[in-house]
Coordinates of all heavy atoms in Angstrom, one line a residue:
M1 N 21.5 -6.0 -5.7 CA 20.2 -5.4 -5.3 C 19.7 -4.5 -6.4 O 20.4 -3.6 -6.9 CB 20.4 -4.6 -4.0 CG 19.1 -3.9 -3.5 SD 19.5 -2.9 -2.1 CE 18.3 -1.6 -2.3
V2 N 18.5 -4.7 -6.8 CA 17.9 -3.9 -7.8 C 17.3 -2.6 -7.2 O 16.6 -2.7 -6.2 CB 16.8 -4.7 -8.6 CG1 16.2 -3.9 -9.7 CG2 17.3 -6.0 -9.1
R3 N 17.6 -1.5 -7.7 CA 17.1 -0.3 -7.1 C 15.7 0.1 -7.7 O 15.5 0.8 -8.6 CB 18.1 0.9 -7.4 CG 19.3 0.8 -6.5 CD 19.9 2.2 -6.4 NE 20.9 2.2 -5.4 CZ 20.7 2.6 -4.2 NH1 19.5 2.9 -3.8 NH2 21.7 2.5 -3.3
T4 N 14.7 -0.5 -7.0 CA 13.3 -0.2 -7.4 C 12.8 0.8 -6.4 O 13.5 1.1 -5.4 CB 12.4 -1.4 -7.3 OG1 12.5 -2.0 -6.0 CG2 12.8 -2.5 -8.4
R5 N 11.6 1.3 -6.6 CA 11.1 2.4 -5.7 C 10.8 1.8 -4.3 O 10.9 2.5 -3.3 CB 9.9 3.0 -6.3 CG 9.7 4.5 -6.0 CD 8.7 5.1 -7.0 NE 7.4 4.6 -6.8 CZ 6.6 5.1 -5.8 NH1 6.9 6.1 -5.1 NH2 5.4 4.6 -5.7
T6 N 10.4 0.6 -4.3 CA 10.0 0.0 -3.0 C 11.2 -0.7 -2.3 O 11.1 -1.0 -1.1 CB 8.9 -1.0 -3.2 OG1 9.2 -1.9 -4.2 CG2 7.6 -0.4 -3.5
R7 N 12.3 -0.8 -3.0 CA 13.5 -1.4 -2.4 C 13.2 -2.8 -1.9 O 12.2 -3.5 -2.2 CB 14.1 -0.5 -1.3 CG 14.7 0.7 -1.9 CD 15.2 1.7 -0.9 NE 14.1 2.2 -0.1 CZ 14.2 3.1 0.9 NH1 15.4 3.5 1.2 NH2 13.2 3.6 1.5
K8 N 14.1 -3.3 -1.0 CA 14.1 -4.7 -0.6 C 13.2 -4.9 0.6 O 13.0 -6.0 1.1 CB 15.5 -5.2 -0.3 CG 16.2 -4.5 0.8 CD 17.4 -5.3 1.3 CE 18.1 -4.5 2.4 NZ 19.3 -5.2 2.9
S9 N 12.7 -3.8 1.2 CA 12.0 -3.8 2.4 C 10.6 -4.4 2.4 O 9.9 -4.4 3.4 CB 12.0 -2.5 3.1 OG 12.1 -1.5 2.2
G10 N 10.1 -4.8 1.2 CA 8.8 -5.4 1.1 C 7.7 -4.4 1.5 O 7.7 -3.3 1.1
S11 N 6.7 -5.0 2.3 CA 5.5 -4.2 2.6 C 5.8 -3.0 3.5 O 5.0 -2.1 3.7 CB 4.5 -5.1 3.3 OG 4.9 -5.5 4.5
T12 N 7.0 -3.0 4.2 CA 7.3 -1.9 5.1 C 8.2 -0.9 4.4 O 8.7 0.0 5.1 CB 8.1 -2.5 6.3 OG1 9.1 -3.3 5.9 CG2 7.1 -3.2 7.2
G13 N 8.3 -1.0 3.1 CA 9.1 0.0 2.3 C 8.6 1.4 2.5 O 9.3 2.3 2.4
R14 N 7.3 1.5 2.7 CA 6.6 2.8 2.9 C 7.1 3.5 4.1 O 7.0 4.8 4.2 CB 5.1 2.6 2.9 CG 4.6 1.9 4.2 CD 3.1 1.8 4.2 NE 2.5 1.3 5.4 CZ 2.4 0.0 5.7 NH1 2.8 -0.9 4.9 NH2 1.9 -0.3 6.9
F15 N 7.7 2.8 5.0 CA 8.3 3.5 6.2 C 9.6 4.1 6.0 O 10.1 4.9 6.8 CB 8.4 2.5 7.4 CG 7.0 2.0 7.9 CD1 6.8 0.6 8.0 CD2 6.0 2.9 8.1 CE1 5.6 0.1 8.5 CE2 4.7 2.4 8.6 CZ 4.6 1.0 8.7
G16 N 10.3 3.8 4.9 CA 11.6 4.3 4.6 C 12.6 3.9 5.7 O 12.5 2.8 6.2
P17 N 13.5 4.7 6.1 CA 14.4 4.4 7.1 C 13.9 4.6 8.5 O 14.6 4.4 9.5 CB 15.6 5.3 6.8 CG 15.0 6.5 6.2 CD 13.7 6.1 5.5
R18 N 12.7 5.0 8.6 CA 12.1 5.3 10.0 C 11.9 4.1 10.8 O 11.7 3.0 10.3 CB 10.8 6.1 9.8 CG 11.0 7.5 9.2 CD 9.7 8.2 9.2 NE 8.7 7.5 8.5 CZ 8.4 7.8 7.2 NH1 9.1 8.7 6.5 NH2 7.5 7.1 6.5
Y19 N 11.8 4.3 12.1 CA 11.4 3.3 13.1 C 12.4 2.2 13.5 O 12.2 1.5 14.4 CB 10.0 2.7 12.8 CG 9.0 3.7 12.4 CD1 8.4 3.7 11.1 CD2 8.6 4.7 13.3 CE1 7.5 4.6 10.7 CE2 7.6 5.6 12.9 CZ 7.1 5.6 11.6 OH 6.2 6.5 11.3
G20 N 13.4 2.1 12.6 CA 14.4 1.1 12.9 C 14.2 -0.3 12.2 O 13.0 -0.6 12.0
A21 N 15.3 -0.9 11.9 CA 15.2 -2.2 11.1 C 14.4 -3.3 11.8 O 13.7 -4.0 11.2 CB 16.6 -2.6 10.8
T22 N 14.7 -3.4 13.1 CA 14.0 -4.5 13.9 C 12.5 -4.4 13.9 O 11.8 -5.3 13.7 CB 14.6 -4.5 15.3 OG1 16.0 -4.4 15.3 CG2 14.2 -5.8 16.0
I23 N 12.1 -3.1 14.2 CA 10.6 -2.9 14.2 C 10.0 -3.1 12.8 O 9.0 -3.8 12.7 CB 10.3 -1.5 14.7 CG1 10.8 -1.3 16.2 CG2 8.9 -1.1 14.6 CD1 10.9 0.1 16.7
R24 N 10.7 -2.7 11.8 CA 10.1 -2.9 10.4 C 10.1 -4.4 10.1 O 9.1 -4.8 9.5 CB 11.0 -2.1 9.4 CG 10.8 -0.6 9.4 CD 11.3 0.0 8.1 NE 12.6 -0.4 7.7 CZ 13.7 0.2 8.1 NH1 13.7 1.2 8.9 NH2 14.9 -0.3 7.7
K25 N 11.0 -5.1 10.6 CA 11.1 -6.5 10.3 C 9.9 -7.2 11.0 O 9.2 -8.1 10.4 CB 12.4 -7.1 10.9 CG 12.9 -8.4 10.2 CD 14.3 -8.7 10.7 CE 14.7 -10.1 10.3 NZ 16.0 -10.4 10.9
R26 N 9.6 -6.7 12.2 CA 8.5 -7.3 13.0 C 7.1 -7.0 12.3 O 6.3 -7.8 12.2 CB 8.5 -6.7 14.4 CG 7.8 -7.6 15.4 CD 8.0 -7.0 16.8 NE 9.4 -7.0 17.2 CZ 9.8 -6.2 18.2 NH1 9.0 -5.4 18.9 NH2 11.1 -6.2 18.6
I27 N 7.0 -5.7 11.8 CA 5.8 -5.3 11.1 C 5.6 -6.1 9.9 O 4.5 -6.5 9.5 CB 5.8 -3.8 10.9 CG1 5.7 -3.0 12.2 CG2 4.7 -3.4 9.9 CD1 6.1 -1.5 12.0
R28 N 6.7 -6.3 9.2 CA 6.7 -7.1 7.9 C 6.1 -8.5 8.2 O 5.3 -9.0 7.4 CB 8.0 -7.1 7.3 CG 8.0 -7.5 5.8 CD 9.1 -6.9 5.1 NE 10.4 -7.4 5.4 CZ 11.5 -6.7 5.8 NH1 11.3 -5.4 6.0 NH2 12.6 -7.3 6.1
A29 N 6.6 -9.1 9.2 CA 6.1 -10.5 9.6 C 4.6 -10.5 9.9 O 3.9 -11.4 9.5 CB 6.9 -11.0 10.8
I30 N 4.2 -9.5 10.6 CA 2.8 -9.4 11.0 C 1.9 -9.1 9.8 O 0.9 -9.7 9.6 CB 2.5 -8.2 12.0 CG1 3.2 -8.6 13.4 CG2 1.1 -7.9 12.2 CD1 3.4 -7.4 14.3
E31 N 2.4 -8.2 8.9 CA 1.6 -7.9 7.7 C 1.5 -9.1 6.7 O 0.5 -9.3 6.1 CB 2.2 -6.7 7.0 CG 2.0 -5.4 7.8 CD 2.1 -4.2 7.0 OE1 2.9 -4.2 6.0 OE2 1.5 -3.2 7.4
K32 N 2.5 -9.9 6.7 CA 2.5 -11.1 5.9 C 1.4 -12.1 6.4 O 0.7 -12.7 5.6 CB 3.9 -11.8 6.0 CG 4.3 -12.5 4.7 CD 5.7 -13.0 4.8 CE 6.0 -14.0 3.7 NZ 7.3 -14.7 3.9
T33 N 1.3 -12.2 7.7 CA 0.3 -13.1 8.3 C -1.1 -12.5 8.0 O -2.0 -13.2 7.7 CB 0.5 -13.1 9.9 OG1 1.8 -13.4 10.1 CG2 -0.4 -14.1 10.5
A34 N -1.2 -11.2 8.1 CA -2.5 -10.6 7.9 C -3.0 -10.7 6.4 O -4.2 -10.8 6.2 CB -2.4 -9.1 8.3
K35 N -2.1 -10.7 5.5 CA -2.4 -10.7 4.1 C -2.6 -12.1 3.5 O -3.2 -12.3 2.5 CB -1.4 -10.0 3.3 CG -1.7 -8.5 3.3 CD -0.5 -7.7 2.7 CE -0.7 -6.2 3.0 NZ 0.5 -5.5 2.7
A36 N -2.1 -13.1 4.3 CA -2.2 -14.5 3.8 C -3.7 -15.0 3.9 O -4.5 -14.4 4.6 CB -1.3 -15.4 4.7
D37 N -3.9 -16.1 3.2 CA -5.3 -16.7 3.3 C -5.4 -17.5 4.5 O -4.6 -18.2 5.0 CB -5.5 -17.6 2.1 CG -5.7 -16.9 0.8 OD1 -6.2 -15.7 0.9 OD2 -5.5 -17.4 -0.3
H38 N -6.6 -17.3 5.2 CA -6.9 -18.0 6.4 C -8.1 -18.9 6.2 O -8.9 -18.7 5.3 CB -7.1 -17.1 7.5 CG -5.9 -16.3 7.9 ND1 -4.9 -16.7 8.7 CD2 -5.5 -15.0 7.5 CE1 -4.0 -15.8 8.8 NE2 -4.3 -14.8 8.1
R39 N -8.2 -19.9 7.0 CA -9.3 -20.9 6.9 C -10.6 -20.3 7.5 O -10.6 -19.7 8.6 CB -9.0 -22.2 7.6 CG -9.9 -23.3 7.1 CD -9.2 -24.6 7.2 NE -9.7 -25.3 8.4 CZ -9.5 -26.6 8.6 NH1 -8.7 -27.3 7.8 NH2 -10.0 -27.2 9.7
C40 N -11.7 -20.4 6.7 CA -13.0 -19.9 7.1 C -13.6 -20.9 8.1 O -13.6 -22.1 7.9 CB -13.9 -19.8 5.9 SG -15.6 -19.5 6.3
P41 N -14.1 -20.4 9.3 CA -14.6 -21.3 10.3 C -15.9 -21.9 9.9 O -16.4 -22.8 10.5 CB -14.8 -20.3 11.5 CG -14.9 -19.0 10.9 CD -14.0 -19.0 9.7
R42 N -16.6 -21.4 8.8 CA -17.9 -21.9 8.4 C -17.7 -23.0 7.3 O -18.1 -24.1 7.4 CB -18.8 -20.8 7.9 CG -20.2 -21.3 7.7 CD -21.0 -20.3 6.8 NE -21.8 -19.4 7.6 CZ -22.5 -18.5 7.1 NH1 -22.4 -18.2 5.8 NH2 -23.3 -17.7 7.8
C43 N -17.0 -22.6 6.2 CA -16.9 -23.5 5.1 C -15.6 -24.3 5.0 O -15.4 -25.1 4.1 CB -17.3 -22.8 3.7 SG -16.0 -21.6 3.2
R44 N -14.7 -24.0 5.9 CA -13.4 -24.7 6.1 C -12.5 -24.5 4.9 O -11.6 -25.3 4.6 CB -13.7 -26.2 6.3 CG -14.5 -26.5 7.5 CD -13.7 -26.4 8.8 NE -14.6 -26.3 10.0 CZ -14.2 -25.9 11.2 NH1 -12.9 -25.6 11.3 NH2 -15.0 -25.7 12.1
K45 N -12.7 -23.5 4.1 CA -11.9 -23.3 2.9 C -10.9 -22.1 3.2 O -11.3 -21.2 4.0 CB -12.7 -23.0 1.7 CG -13.4 -24.2 1.1 CD -14.0 -24.0 -0.2 CE -14.5 -25.2 -0.9 NZ -15.6 -25.9 -0.1
Y46 N -9.8 -22.2 2.6 CA -8.8 -21.1 2.8 C -9.1 -19.9 2.0 O -8.4 -19.5 1.1 CB -7.4 -21.6 2.5 CG -6.9 -22.5 3.6 CD1 -7.2 -23.9 3.5 CD2 -6.2 -22.0 4.7 CE1 -6.8 -24.8 4.5 CE2 -5.8 -22.9 5.7 CZ -6.1 -24.2 5.6 OH -5.6 -25.1 6.6
T47 N -10.3 -19.3 2.2 CA -10.7 -18.2 1.4 C -11.0 -17.0 2.3 O -11.7 -16.0 1.9 CB -12.0 -18.5 0.6 OG1 -12.9 -19.2 1.5 CG2 -11.6 -19.4 -0.5
L48 N -10.5 -17.0 3.5 CA -10.7 -16.0 4.5 C -9.7 -14.8 4.3 O -8.5 -15.1 4.3 CB -10.7 -16.5 5.9 CG -11.4 -15.8 7.0 CD1 -12.9 -15.7 6.7 CD2 -11.1 -16.4 8.3
R49 N -10.2 -13.7 4.1 CA -9.4 -12.5 3.9 C -9.7 -11.4 4.9 O -10.8 -11.3 5.3 CB -9.6 -12.0 2.5 CG -8.7 -12.7 1.4 CD -7.3 -12.2 1.5 NE -6.4 -13.1 0.7 CZ -6.2 -12.8 -0.6 NH1 -6.8 -11.9 -1.2 NH2 -5.4 -13.6 -1.3
K50 N -8.7 -10.6 5.2 CA -8.8 -9.5 6.1 C -9.6 -8.4 5.3 O -9.1 -7.9 4.3 CB -7.5 -9.0 6.5 CG -7.5 -8.0 7.6 CD -6.1 -7.8 8.1 CE -5.9 -6.4 8.6 NZ -5.5 -5.4 7.6
E51 N -10.7 -8.1 5.9 CA -11.6 -7.0 5.2 C -11.1 -5.7 5.6 O -10.8 -4.8 4.8 CB -13.0 -7.2 5.6 CG -14.0 -6.2 5.0 CD -14.7 -6.7 3.8 OE1 -14.2 -7.5 3.0 OE2 -15.9 -6.3 3.7
S52 N -11.0 -5.5 6.9 CA -10.4 -4.3 7.5 C -9.9 -4.7 8.9 O -10.0 -5.8 9.2 CB -11.4 -3.1 7.6 OG -12.4 -3.4 8.5
L53 N -9.4 -3.7 9.6 CA -8.7 -4.1 10.9 C -9.7 -4.8 11.8 O -10.7 -4.2 12.2 CB -8.2 -2.8 11.6 CG -7.2 -3.0 12.6 CD1 -5.8 -3.5 12.0 CD2 -6.9 -1.7 13.4
G54 N -9.5 -6.1 12.1 CA -10.3 -6.9 13.0 C -11.6 -7.5 12.3 O -12.3 -8.2 13.0
I55 N -11.8 -7.2 11.0 CA -12.9 -7.8 10.3 C -12.4 -8.8 9.3 O -11.6 -8.4 8.5 CB -13.8 -6.7 9.6 CG1 -14.1 -5.5 10.6 CG2 -15.0 -7.3 8.9 CD1 -15.1 -5.9 11.7
W56 N -13.0 -10.0 9.3 CA -12.5 -11.0 8.4 C -13.7 -11.5 7.6 O -14.8 -11.6 8.1 CB -11.9 -12.2 9.2 CG -10.7 -11.7 10.0 CD1 -10.7 -11.1 11.2 CD2 -9.4 -11.8 9.5 NE1 -9.4 -10.8 11.5 CE2 -8.6 -11.2 10.5 CE3 -8.8 -12.4 8.4 CZ2 -7.2 -11.2 10.4 CZ3 -7.4 -12.3 8.3 CH2 -6.6 -11.7 9.3
K57 N -13.5 -11.7 6.3 CA -14.6 -12.1 5.5 C -14.2 -13.2 4.5 O -13.1 -13.1 3.9 CB -15.1 -10.9 4.6 CG -16.5 -11.1 4.1 CD -17.0 -9.9 3.4 CE -18.4 -10.2 2.8 NZ -18.9 -9.1 2.0
C58 N -15.1 -14.2 4.4 CA -14.8 -15.3 3.5 C -15.2 -15.0 2.1 O -16.4 -14.5 1.9 CB -15.5 -16.5 4.0 SG -15.3 -18.0 2.9
R59 N -14.4 -15.2 1.1 CA -14.7 -14.9 -0.3 C -15.6 -16.0 -0.9 O -16.2 -15.8 -1.9 CB -13.4 -14.8 -1.1 CG -12.7 -13.5 -0.9 CD -11.4 -13.4 -1.6 NE -10.5 -14.4 -1.1 CZ -9.5 -15.0 -1.8 NH1 -9.3 -14.6 -3.0 NH2 -8.7 -15.9 -1.2
K60 N -15.7 -17.1 -0.2 CA -16.4 -18.3 -0.8 C -17.9 -18.2 -0.3 O -18.8 -18.2 -1.1 CB -15.8 -19.6 -0.3 CG -16.3 -20.8 -0.9 CD -15.7 -21.1 -2.3 CE -16.4 -22.3 -2.9 NZ -15.9 -22.4 -4.3
C61 N -18.1 -18.2 1.0 CA -19.5 -18.2 1.5 C -19.9 -16.8 2.0 O -21.1 -16.7 2.4 CB -19.6 -19.3 2.6 SG -18.7 -18.9 4.1
G62 N -19.1 -15.9 2.1 CA -19.5 -14.5 2.5 C -19.5 -14.4 4.0 O -20.0 -13.3 4.5
H63 N -19.1 -15.4 4.7 CA -19.2 -15.3 6.2 C -18.2 -14.3 6.7 O -17.0 -14.3 6.3 CB -18.8 -16.7 6.7 CG -18.8 -16.8 8.2 ND1 -19.9 -16.4 9.0 CD2 -17.8 -17.2 9.1 CE1 -19.5 -16.6 10.3 NE2 -18.3 -17.1 10.3
A64 N -18.7 -13.3 7.4 CA -17.9 -12.2 8.0 C -18.0 -12.2 9.5 O -19.0 -12.5 10.0 CB -18.3 -10.9 7.4
F65 N -16.9 -12.0 10.2 CA -16.9 -11.9 11.6 C -15.8 -11.1 12.1 O -14.8 -10.8 11.4 CB -16.8 -13.4 12.2 CG -15.5 -14.1 12.0 CD1 -14.5 -14.1 13.0 CD2 -15.3 -14.7 10.8 CE1 -13.3 -14.7 12.7 CE2 -14.1 -15.3 10.6 CZ -13.1 -15.3 11.5
A66 N -15.9 -10.7 13.4 CA -14.8 -9.9 14.0 C -13.8 -10.8 14.7 O -14.2 -11.7 15.4 CB -15.5 -9.0 15.0
G67 N -12.6 -10.6 14.3 CA -11.5 -11.4 14.9 C -10.4 -10.5 15.4 O -10.6 -9.4 15.7
G68 N -9.2 -11.1 15.4 CA -8.1 -10.3 15.8 C -7.7 -9.3 14.8 O -8.2 -9.4 13.6
A69 N -6.9 -8.3 15.2 CA -6.6 -7.3 14.2 C -5.7 -7.8 13.1 O -5.9 -7.4 11.9 CB -5.8 -6.1 14.9
W70 N -4.9 -8.8 13.4 CA -3.9 -9.3 12.4 C -4.1 -10.7 12.0 O -3.6 -11.2 11.0 CB -2.5 -9.0 12.8 CG -2.2 -7.6 13.2 CD1 -2.1 -7.1 14.5 CD2 -2.2 -6.5 12.3 NE1 -1.9 -5.8 14.4 CE2 -2.0 -5.4 13.1 CE3 -2.4 -6.3 10.9 CZ2 -1.9 -4.1 12.6 CZ3 -2.3 -5.1 10.4 CH2 -2.1 -4.0 11.2
Q71 N -4.8 -11.5 12.9 CA -5.1 -12.9 12.6 C -6.6 -13.1 12.9 O -7.2 -12.5 13.8 CB -4.3 -13.8 13.6 CG -2.8 -13.8 13.2 CD -2.1 -14.4 14.4 OE1 -1.9 -13.8 15.5 NE2 -1.5 -15.6 14.2
P72 N -7.3 -14.0 12.2 CA -8.7 -14.2 12.4 C -9.0 -14.7 13.8 O -10.0 -14.3 14.5 CB -9.1 -15.2 11.4 CG -7.9 -15.8 10.8 CD -6.8 -14.8 11.0
I73 N -8.2 -15.7 14.3 CA -8.4 -16.2 15.7 C -7.1 -15.9 16.5 O -6.0 -16.3 16.1 CB -8.6 -17.7 15.6 CG1 -9.6 -18.1 14.6 CG2 -8.9 -18.2 17.0 CD1 -11.1 -17.8 14.9
T74 N -7.2 -15.2 17.6 CA -6.1 -14.9 18.4 C -6.1 -15.7 19.6 O -7.1 -16.3 20.0 CB -6.1 -13.4 18.8 OG1 -7.3 -13.2 19.6 CG2 -6.1 -12.5 17.6
E75 N -4.9 -15.8 20.2 CA -4.8 -16.6 21.5 C -5.7 -16.0 22.6 O -6.4 -16.8 23.3 CB -3.3 -16.6 22.0 CG -2.5 -17.6 21.2 CD -3.0 -19.0 21.2 OE1 -3.3 -19.5 22.3 OE2 -3.1 -19.6 20.2
G76 N -5.8 -14.7 22.7 CA -6.6 -14.1 23.6 C -8.1 -14.4 23.3 O -8.9 -14.6 24.3
G77 N -8.5 -14.4 22.1 CA -9.8 -14.7 21.7 C -10.2 -16.1 22.1 O -11.3 -16.4 22.6
K78 N -9.3 -17.1 21.8 CA -9.6 -18.5 22.2 C -9.8 -18.6 23.7 O -10.7 -19.3 24.1 CB -8.4 -19.3 21.8 CG -8.5 -19.9 20.4 CD -7.5 -21.0 20.1 CE -6.4 -20.5 19.2 NZ -5.3 -21.5 19.0
R79 N -8.9 -17.9 24.4 CA -9.0 -18.0 25.9 C -10.3 -17.4 26.4 O -11.0 -18.0 27.2 CB -7.8 -17.2 26.5 CG -7.5 -17.6 27.9 CD -6.3 -16.9 28.4 NE -5.1 -17.1 27.5 CZ -4.3 -16.1 27.1 NH1 -4.5 -14.9 27.5 NH2 -3.3 -16.4 26.4
S80 N -10.7 -16.3 25.8 CA -12.0 -15.6 26.3 C -13.2 -16.5 25.9 O -14.1 -16.5 26.7 CB -12.1 -14.2 25.7 OG -12.6 -14.2 24.4
S81 N -13.2 -17.1 24.8 CA -14.3 -18.0 24.4 C -14.4 -19.2 25.3 O -15.5 -19.7 25.6 CB -14.3 -18.3 22.9 OG -13.2 -19.0 22.6
R82 N -13.2 -19.7 25.7 CA -13.2 -20.8 26.6 C -13.8 -20.5 28.0 O -14.5 -21.2 28.6 CB -11.7 -21.3 26.8 CG -11.6 -22.7 27.4 CD -10.3 -23.4 27.1 NE -9.2 -22.7 27.7 CZ -8.1 -22.3 27.0 NH1 -8.0 -22.6 25.7 NH2 -7.1 -21.6 27.6
I83 N -13.4 -19.3 28.5 CA -13.9 -18.8 29.8 C -15.4 -18.6 29.7 O -16.2 -19.0 30.6 CB -13.2 -17.5 30.2 CG1 -11.7 -17.8 30.5 CG2 -13.9 -16.8 31.4 CD1 -10.8 -16.6 30.6
T84 N -15.9 -18.1 28.6 CA -17.3 -17.9 28.4 C -18.1 -19.2 28.5 O -19.1 -19.3 29.1 CB -17.6 -17.2 27.1 OG1 -16.7 -16.1 26.9 CG2 -19.0 -16.7 26.9
K85 N -17.5 -20.2 27.8 CA -18.1 -21.5 27.8 C -18.1 -22.1 29.2 O -19.1 -22.7 29.7 CB -17.3 -22.4 26.9 CG -18.1 -23.5 26.3 CD -17.2 -24.4 25.4 CE -17.7 -25.8 25.2 NZ -16.7 -26.7 24.7
Q86 N -17.0 -22.0 30.0 CA -16.9 -22.5 31.3 C -18.0 -21.8 32.2 O -18.7 -22.5 33.0 CB -15.6 -22.2 31.9 CG -14.5 -23.3 31.6 CD -13.1 -22.9 32.0 OE1 -13.0 -21.9 32.7 NE2 -12.2 -23.7 31.7
L87 N -18.1 -20.5 32.1 CA -19.1 -19.8 32.9 C -20.5 -20.2 32.6 O -21.4 -20.3 33.5 CB -18.9 -18.3 32.7 CG -17.7 -17.6 33.3 CD1 -17.5 -16.2 32.8 CD2 -17.7 -17.7 34.8
A88 N -20.8 -20.5 31.3 CA -22.1 -20.9 30.9 C -22.4 -22.3 31.5 O -23.5 -22.6 31.9 CB -22.2 -21.0 29.4
E89 N -21.4 -23.2 31.5 CA -21.6 -24.5 32.1 C -21.8 -24.5 33.6 O -22.6 -25.2 34.1 CB -20.4 -25.4 31.8 CG -20.4 -25.9 30.4 CD -19.1 -26.5 29.9 OE1 -18.1 -26.6 30.7 OE2 -19.0 -26.9 28.7
Q90 N -21.1 -23.6 34.3 CA -21.2 -23.4 35.7 C -22.6 -22.9 36.0 O -23.2 -23.3 37.0 CB -20.2 -22.4 36.2 CG -18.8 -23.1 36.5 CD -17.7 -22.1 36.8 OE1 -18.0 -20.9 37.1 NE2 -16.5 -22.6 36.7
A91 N -23.1 -22.0 35.2 CA -24.4 -21.4 35.4 C -25.5 -22.4 35.3 O -26.5 -22.4 36.0 CB -24.6 -20.3 34.4
Q92 N -25.3 -23.4 34.4 CA -26.3 -24.5 34.2 C -26.3 -25.4 35.4 O -27.3 -25.9 35.8 CB -26.0 -25.2 32.9 CG -26.5 -24.5 31.7 CD -26.2 -25.3 30.4 OE1 -25.4 -26.2 30.4 NE2 -26.8 -24.9 29.3
E93 N -25.1 -25.7 35.9 CA -25.0 -26.7 37.0 C -25.6 -26.1 38.3 O -26.3 -26.9 39.0 CB -23.5 -26.9 37.3 CG -22.9 -28.0 36.3 CD -21.4 -28.0 36.4 OE1 -20.8 -27.5 37.4 OE2 -20.8 -28.5 35.4
S94 N -25.5 -24.9 38.6 CA -26.0 -24.4 39.9 C -27.5 -24.1 39.8 O -28.1 -24.1 38.8 CB -25.3 -23.1 40.3 OG -25.4 -22.1 39.2
Ligands
LIG1 ZN1 -16.5 -19.5 4.1

């Protein structure tokens, strides 16, 4: 192991020995997801980046939208948009 300032703990090195290894491991996995390139829903290119917490912006077409805090599309978000669609369809039928 090379003794660098950030050590082997990657992006969670800033936490030092605090919060416990398991929690740091979990945060590291989440932050990796957040920092990776995601697909833009408009131009379909993998140029979507996290702008700030919950804000996602495409570097290619400039498309910005509010998504999940750590992922552009969350399971909860998908579910809520499906319910919205269902309610809209029901409203049209009646
Ligand atoms: Zn785009």
Side-chain angles (χ1 to χ4, degrees):
M1 179 186 145
V2 183
R3 282 204 171 267
T4 57
R5 214 164 66 83
T6 50
R7 287 175 296 180
K8 62 167 178 179
S9 29
S11 67
T12 50
R14 67 182 189 273
F15 296 130
R18 292 185 300 265
Y19 312 116
T22 312
I23 293 166
R24 286 203 309 275
K25 207 170 167 184
R26 206 175 297 160
I27 292 168
R28 195 149 71 237
I30 292 166
E31 291 198 333
K32 215 175 164 187
T33 312
K35 278 169 189 169
D37 284 337
H38 294 279
R39 197 151 105 168
C40 172
R42 191 199 260 174
C43 67
R44 304 277 161 198
K45 286 191 171 63
Y46 286 88
T47 45
L48 204 62
R49 274 285 170 85
K50 188 170 152 276
E51 177 103 327
S52 62
L53 200 70
I55 307 291
W56 298 83
K57 197 175 180 186
C58 176
R59 285 174 294 155
K60 189 83 184 170
C61 68
H63 180 55
F65 66 98
W70 307 109
Q71 289 165 291
I73 311 289
T74 61
E75 281 304 310
K78 267 192 253 176
R79 203 176 303 133
S80 81
S81 58
R82 194 160 63 231
I83 291 164
T84 310
K85 209 179 153 196
Q86 275 174 3
L87 287 172
E89 281 166 7
Q90 278 171 13
Q92 279 182 347
E93 279 165 19
S94 57

